[in-house]
Every structure is written in structure tokens, then in C-alpha cells.
Amino acid sequence: MRLAHISDVHFYAFPGIRGSLGKRALGLANLYVGGRRGHFGGDTIPQLVEDVLAQRPDAVAITGDLTAMAHAEEFEMAREAFRPLLDALPVCIVPGNHDAYTLAAVRDRTMEKVLGPWMAGGRWDPTERRWTGAEPGVPLRWPVVFEVGDVRLVGVNPCRATLSATGRFPRGELDRLEGMLAALSRERKFVFLLCHYPLLDRDGRPYARRGHNLLDLDDLLAVLRRQPVGAVLHGHEHHWFTASLPTPGGPVPIFNCGSSGYARRDPERTAGFFVLDVEGGELVSARRRSLLETGFREYPEGDTRPRPPT
Ligand SMILES: [Fe+2]
Ligand SMILES: [Fe+2]
């Protein structure tokens, strides 16, 4: 089973002044003053979609921050740009903090209204080419489980609308996660955990970037030490890295996709995605595709699975 992992494409739609009051005004200032807007967009996404399809994945995971400010228009831009993937493959989407940017967006379930069919989990029907068995119309109850062949993708959602970019799991979500992981472990399924927030930083320490971190990270790490998964996929930090979480059941590889929509000349910091292969219940390779001047290429060359700390 081959999985493509995308993250943090940050579609951006200028909302007009009325939609820019409050927290969104801060976001706009960031986009312009921080020069973020110039880094996203152009023809990066069509090239990304073409190269993802060229890798012939069996499924696609998108770990959040599809938008800049959680406007309906931004979710629609993402849906249309990813349409060739959504129409052809099982795509599994979890939100990022930017997709829960305002209380109104969370309350109105703006993301679910546009992307709900790819967020609710369920079983992939290869004939109908759609997810079945889950109900996207009701408020989603996280975690969700996506079934693709013998592999399970478990999505969690600690994203909420606050003035900071921190996350925190709603009550009960981590207990439900632990129960689900225990059941999947009994069934000997390979599990990818999809979470927008980093667990470890690039030096392998618990991710603690102030104002940007997961506030109950320790609780999530404790769940994973008791119920290790096959691999963790996340985004949020826009420059990719990998890490390895030691657990009593063995090391868990963690992949930070970084941004898949961040066109820059520096090959270490440009848009990219991972191509992850699971065979016989094991992750057997992880390759990185990066946007270089000649298009998406394997860069760096070779396997990018993290080495467990010695
Ligand atoms: Fe992001
Ligand atoms: Fe983020």
C-alpha cells in the first residue's frame, strides 16, 4: 500500500474588509507583513497534484492547514485544486489550526460542509470511488478511522479557535483514541496516525514551540507509548523533518510533511510531500518529493525514514 502525505497548502482568498475583522485581521497582517502570501500559490499546487498522481499512490493523507483563514471560499479552492485526487483516490483529511481559525468557522462547521466526505472516515469503496459507512452530515466525532485495504488511518483533531496557534484535545478524544488503537492492534493492522500538530521537534524533543504547540502533548505521547502506531504523519511546521519516538513496543517513525505549497528556491525548504510504502504490515520506505526548479523530483534521494535514536 502506497500513501502520499501532503500538508499545509494554505489556500488564501481575500475576504474583503468585512470578513477581516477580529482575529482574521491579525492573519491578514501576517500574510502581508510576513510575506507569507508570496510563498504560497502560483502553479505549485497543479504540479503537486500531477506529481502525486504520477507516484501511483493507493491513498492520500492531508494533515491540515488547507486554508489561511478558514473561509468557505478557501476550502472550496482546496477542494477544486485537489479534485483530481479526490475523484480518483481515497483521500483522508484532518483539520489544522488554520482550518479552525475563528469561532464562527468552527461553529458553522465550514470545513466539514465543504470537505466532510473526506474527513468522516469509513471504508473506501474502490468501485464507487467514495468513502462509505461513515456519516459526514452529523458533527464529526473524533478520532475517525479510514480503512484502505489492510491499512488504517486514524485522524485526530485537537484544533480550536483561539488567539494563539496552540491545540488541545477536547475531553474524551484521547480516551477514544486509545481504545481505537488497542482494537486495531488486536487486529494487527498497520496504523498511520494523522495529527496536524508535531509531537517531537527536529531534535527529537517534545515539540514545545510556545504559542504553536499541542498543550496536552504529554497525554498524547503517553497514549502512543501504551499503544504504538506504525507511523505518525503531521504538518504545522512548514519545513519538513522526521523524528523517531521511542516506545516500549519499538520506535515509532514520525514524518513532518512541512508545507506542500511553499515555493522557494532553497531545496531544503521548498514544497514537498512524502511517498510512504507499507508492505507486510511494515513501513518499508519513505521517499521525499520536492519542488525544484525543474518540477517535483525525489529530493533528497533515497529513503528518508528516521533512524531511531541510539
Ligand atoms: Fe501551516
Ligand atoms: Fe498549523
Side-chain angles (χ1 to χ4, degrees):
M1 187 270 197
R2 171 167 289 179
L3 179 71
H5 172 208
I6 296 170
S7 203
D8 290 72
V9 289
H10 285 282
F11 279 93
Y12 168 74
F14 183 71
I17 202 70
R18 205 166 65 85
S20 312
L21 301 174
K23 187 183 174 188
R24 281 186 178 135
L26 285 176
L28 274 180
N30 267 333
L31 284 163
Y32 286 109
V33 178
R36 268 186 147 182
R37 195 179 171 204
H39 293 150
F40 291 96
D43 64 350
T44 303
I45 302 299
Q47 289 186 74
L48 168 75
V49 167
E50 193 182 320
D51 197 61
V52 168
L53 287 171
Q55 304 312 309
R56 303 193 149 277
D58 299 298
V60 177
I62 306 180
T63 48
D65 279 3
L66 285 87
T67 67
M69 287 183 278
H71 289 298
E73 294 83 354
E74 294 173 338
F75 290 115
E76 285 158 6
M77 286 164 78
R79 184 186 59 197
E80 293 319 304
F82 287 137
R83 179 65 74 187
L85 303 180
L86 300 174
D87 284 348
L89 294 164
V91 178
C92 318
I93 301 177
V94 295
N97 55 304
H98 279 262
D99 305 320
Y101 205 71
T102 62
L103 276 176
V106 173
R107 201 174 41 229
D108 298 345
R109 304 191 358 256
T110 310
M111 184 178 193
E112 289 98 310
K113 280 179 184 163
V114 181
L115 296 169
W118 301 278
M119 297 169 70
R123 199 167 303 113
W124 178 252
D125 181 333
T127 314
E128 295 268 316
R129 290 177 183 245
R130 64 182 183 89
W131 293 106
T132 59
E135 182 51 76
V138 298
L140 290 179
R141 190 159 188 264
W142 302 89
V144 299
V145 183
F146 300 88
E147 301 183 22
V148 185
D150 253 359
V151 169
R152 300 292 177 266
L153 298 97
V154 176
V156 293
N157 180 16
C159 301
R160 69 234 170 101
T162 62
L163 277 175
S164 75
T166 56
R168 187 191 288 282
F169 285 101
R171 248 173 81 120
E173 183 170 335
L174 285 175
D175 290 339
R176 290 196 297 277
L177 174 66
E178 186 157 5
M180 277 176 187
L181 295 182
L184 292 172
S185 148
R186 284 193 294 274
E187 294 171 27
R188 302 190 163 274
K189 299 296 184 197
F190 184 94
V191 172
F192 284 108
L193 178 69
L194 315 181
C195 176
H196 179 65
Y197 283 91
L199 278 58
L200 304 180
D201 63 21
R202 61 179 67 239
D203 298 319
R205 291 183 297 245
Y207 181 81
R209 187 177 162 203
R210 206 176 151 80
H212 292 262
N213 55 333
L214 193 53
L215 298 178
D216 43 6
L217 171 65
D218 287 350
D219 297 333
L220 175 60
L221 291 175
V223 168
L224 291 177
R225 288 191 188 105
R226 291 191 293 267
Q227 294 295 339
V229 293
V232 178
L233 311 182
H234 71 82
H236 192 55
E237 277 288 333
H238 286 177
H239 302 137
W240 75 280
F241 62 86
T242 62
S244 179
L245 175 71
T247 78
V252 173
I254 302 180
F255 295 87
N256 169 28
C257 182
S259 174
S260 304
Y262 199 66
R264 295 184 80 160
R265 286 189 179 269
D266 179 349
E268 308 297 334
R269 294 176 163 231
T270 187
F273 64 99
F274 283 112
V275 180
L276 304 158
D277 286 307
V278 176
E279 284 172 20
E282 289 199 27
L283 182 69
V284 294
S285 100
R287 290 178 304 116
R288 176 83 186 166
R289 303 285 299 178
S290 300
L291 180 58
L292 307 181
E293 295 206 18
T294 47
F296 277 90
R297 295 284 179 274
E298 184 169 321
Y299 182 90
E301 280 184 30
D303 201 328
T304 56
R305 277 178 297 169
R307 287 206 191 96
T310 46

